[in-house]
Amino acid sequence: MRPLGSPYLLLTLAMLCWAGNWVVGRAIHEQVPPLALNFWRWAASLLLILPVAWRPLRDQWRLMLRHWKWILPMAAIASAIFQSMVYLGLQHTTALNGALLIALVPIVVAAFAAMLLGDRFTPLQGLGIGVSLAGAVVVIVRGDLSVLRALAFNPGDLWILAAVPIWALYTVLLKRWPAGLDRMSFLAAMAIVGTLLQAPLYAWEWAGGRHLVLSPASLAAIAYTAVFASFLAFVFYNAALQRTTPTVAGPFHHLHPAFTALLGIVFLGERIGWHHAVGVACIVLGLYLTSAAKPSAAKPAS
C-alpha cells in the first residue's frame, strides 16, 4: 500500500480523530456506556474494513498465520485491552487524573524505544517531550496549576497507570511490523479481535444494569467512533509509525488533550481561555523540538 503522506500530518490527524472520540463519549455517556461504545465501534468498523481488506486478507492469510504471535497481541492491545483498562479506571477516578496519567505516554514510549529498538534519546528530544508535556498539563488543568496540589489518587488510577506502558509497547512494537503485511489486513485482524474480546466485557456491563439506549444520537456516536476512532485513526497512526520513530511520535499524544479541549469549545459550548493558547503553543514547540532532533534509525523489522 502506498505511503499516505507526512508522518507528522498522519499523527496529528490520528490524535484529532481520537480527541473527537473522547468528546463523543463524554457527550453520549448517558445513552451509550463506555464498554458498549467500545464493542459497537469495533463491530461497526469491521463492516467498513472487511470490504476494503478482503483481497489482502485472501492473499496474505499465510503471512498472517506465520506472524500470529505479533499480530494477535498487537491487535488485542489496540482494540480492546488499552481502552478497556482506561474505561475501567475512569469508573473510579476523575477525568483529570486520567488525562494527566495518559500524558505520560511519550515518556514511557521513549524509554521503551531505547530499550527495545536501541533508539538514542537525545537531549533535544528530552526537552521537546518536557515542553509538550508542560503544555498538555496546562490544558488539562485549565491553567490552574494549584489543582495539581489537590490531586487525590485512588485505585482507579492504577488501571490507567497500567494502561500507559501497554499503549507505549504497542507504539514501539509497530516498528516490528512484519515485512509485506498490508495495513488493511492488520486493521481487519484488529477489528475482529477487538469485537471478540469486547463481547464478554460488554455482556458484563449489560448484566450490571448499564444498557445502550438506541436513538439517533447514540447511533451517530457509534458511527463516528467506527469511522474515525477505529478505522481512520489507526490507518493514520500505524502508517505514521512505519515512517518515523516512536520517540518522535510519542509527544504527538499531547495533542490529544489540546484537540479534546478545542472540540469541546466548538461542540459542547465550553469556554476558551488563555490556557488553551499557552498550552497549545507549548505542545507545538515541543513537537518541533522533538521532530527537529535527528533520531537514530530503529532496528529493522524482523
Side-chain angles (χ1 to χ4, degrees), residues 19-242:
N21 178 52
W22 278 43
V23 173
V24 167
R26 192 168 67 195
I28 205 71
H29 72 279
E30 293 184 357
Q31 295 187 47
V32 189
L35 298 182
L37 182 59
N38 205 32
F39 170 80
W40 285 112
R41 66 181 264 195
W42 285 108
S45 72
L46 186 58
L47 299 178
L48 299 172
I49 295 166
L50 278 181
V52 180
W54 181 252
R55 180 171 293 179
L57 278 174
R58 182 193 63 191
D59 295 340
Q60 294 195 329
W61 66 271
R62 291 185 179 86
L63 174 67
M64 297 180 73
L65 283 178
R66 284 201 302 272
H67 294 285
W68 72 268
K69 291 183 180 179
W70 183 90
I71 292 172
L72 182 58
M74 291 288 283
I77 288 171
S79 61
I81 295 173
F82 169 77
Q83 192 63 65
S84 294
M85 293 174 75
V86 171
Y87 282 156
L88 288 169
L90 289 176
Q91 299 297 303
H92 306 287
T93 192
T94 65
L96 173 63
N97 283 24
L100 289 172
L101 290 170
I102 292 298
L104 298 175
V105 165
I107 298 173
V108 183
V109 166
F112 280 4
M115 289 188 293
L116 300 177
L117 302 179
D119 282 359
R120 290 191 298 273
F121 185 66
T122 68
L124 189 57
Q125 286 176 327
L127 177 62
I129 291 173
V131 171
S132 65
L133 175 59
V137 170
V138 168
V139 172
I140 292 167
V141 303
R142 299 175 180 269
D144 185 3
L145 298 181
S146 65
V147 170
L148 298 176
R149 294 197 297 269
L151 287 179
F153 292 95
N154 60 70
D157 295 319
L158 296 178
W159 279 106
I160 299 176
L161 190 60
V164 168
I166 294 291
W167 183 254
L169 188 64
Y170 172 84
T171 298
V172 171
L173 291 183
L174 278 175
K175 298 303 293 185
R176 299 300 190 190
W177 189 277
L181 178 63
D182 187 87
R183 285 195 298 272
M184 288 298 108
S185 296
F186 177 64
L187 195 59
M190 188 187 300
I192 293 169
V193 170
T195 302
L196 293 176
L197 290 182
Q198 280 294 130
L201 295 174
Y202 177 32
W204 170 74
E205 184 179 67
W206 180 279
R210 304 196 65 186
H211 299 160
L212 168 69
V213 177
L214 286 178
S215 70
S218 64
L219 292 176
I222 291 170
Y224 174 88
T225 57
V227 174
F228 291 94
S230 295
F231 182 28
L232 292 178
F234 277 98
V235 169
F236 297 150
Y237 192 73
N238 292 346
L241 263 295
Q242 288 179 289

Side-chain angles (χ1 to χ4, degrees), residues 11-12 14-16 18-19 22 98-110 121 125-140 164 167 237 246-262 275-276 278-288 290:
L11 288 166
T12 301
M15 297 308 149
L16 179 58
W18 284 326
W22 278 43
L100 289 172
L101 290 170
I102 292 298
L104 298 175
V105 165
I107 298 173
V108 183
V109 166
F121 185 66
Q125 286 176 327
L127 177 62
I129 291 173
V131 171
S132 65
L133 175 59
V137 170
V138 168
V139 172
I140 292 167
V164 168
W167 183 254
Y237 192 73
T247 301
V248 170
F252 278 81
H253 287 81
H254 291 151
L255 286 173
H256 192 291
F259 281 142
T260 300
L262 295 176
H275 57 279
H276 292 115
V278 172
V280 170
C282 288
I283 292 169
V284 172
L285 176 59
L287 294 179
Y288 172 77
T290 307

